[in-house]
Amino acid sequence: KPEAKKAQILSQTREQLLLRAVDMYNLELSKPENSRKGARTVCKEVSEQHERETGQFITLNHNTMLQRAAGRKSKAQSNSEKGWLKPEEVETIIRYGEELSDRAIPLTLKTLEEIVNFVLRARLGSDFPGVGQNW
């Protein structure tokens, strides 16, 4: 699914740019008050710099950047911390699914559930009951 991959890359790029903007904004806060750049200006400059480097313009929301600067996690990070799987386990399972696809083996929901349960039982022990029906 190339569209999903593009959306994921865009999301990751936007998150990296937000973190770059947070760093730049924190540097601005260390300057005297009358010579600081505001959050909107910082976001605009980071977006423009990224466009010069890559040819791709990505708009950054200054309120989101301010929330990250205050320590708030991204939605993706927050959601990933709620899940059973660690990010590296998710990546391994995705690679395995792609490998099955390359071999023309269909990845069914049942097969995926078995793979996830195998990974989780390896880490959590045989007492792990499985992901259940509505995972």
Side-chain angles (χ1 to χ4, degrees):
K1 300 192 177 192
E3 298 86 27
K5 192 85 163 173
K6 285 181 185 179
Q8 182 183 15
I9 291 170
L10 178 63
S11 177
Q12 291 171 346
T13 304
R14 178 174 281 120
E15 188 61 30
Q16 291 170 349
L17 291 175
L18 276 170
L19 295 176
R20 189 187 307 174
V22 166
D23 290 342
M24 189 173 167
Y25 182 71
N26 286 332
L27 283 174
E28 290 296 321
L29 292 178
S30 65
K31 295 179 180 178
E33 195 169 331
N34 60 352
S35 64
R36 289 182 193 164
K37 294 177 185 172
R40 288 175 200 251
T41 304
V42 167
C43 287
K44 183 179 176 189
E45 287 181 2
V46 169
S47 293
E48 289 171 351
Q49 179 185 8
H50 179 72
E51 184 179 28
R52 283 191 303 275
E53 293 170 355
T54 66
Q56 179 185 33
F57 186 79
I58 297 177
T59 305
L60 299 178
N61 184 295
H62 68 282
N63 286 316
T64 304
M65 188 274 298
L66 288 170
Q67 290 172 351
R68 291 287 190 298
R72 187 169 184 182
K73 297 175 186 176
S74 70
K75 184 182 270 189
Q77 184 180 10
S78 176
N79 287 341
S80 74
E81 291 172 359
K82 295 176 191 174
W84 285 105
L85 295 168
K86 294 182 177 182
E88 58 271 12
E89 293 170 334
V90 171
E91 291 301 318
T92 301
I93 291 169
I94 290 170
R95 280 196 308 274
Y96 184 68
E98 289 171 344
E99 190 176 311
L100 289 176
S101 176
D102 290 343
R103 296 179 185 181
I105 301 171
L107 181 64
T108 65
L109 187 58
K110 184 67 179 167
T111 306
L112 181 60
E113 181 180 349
E114 289 171 1
I115 294 165
V116 169
N117 283 332
F118 178 80
V119 169
L120 289 172
R121 285 190 180 115
R123 181 167 48 87
L124 301 174
S126 59
D127 291 340
F128 180 71
V131 291
Q133 214 168 4
N134 295 320
W135 64 287

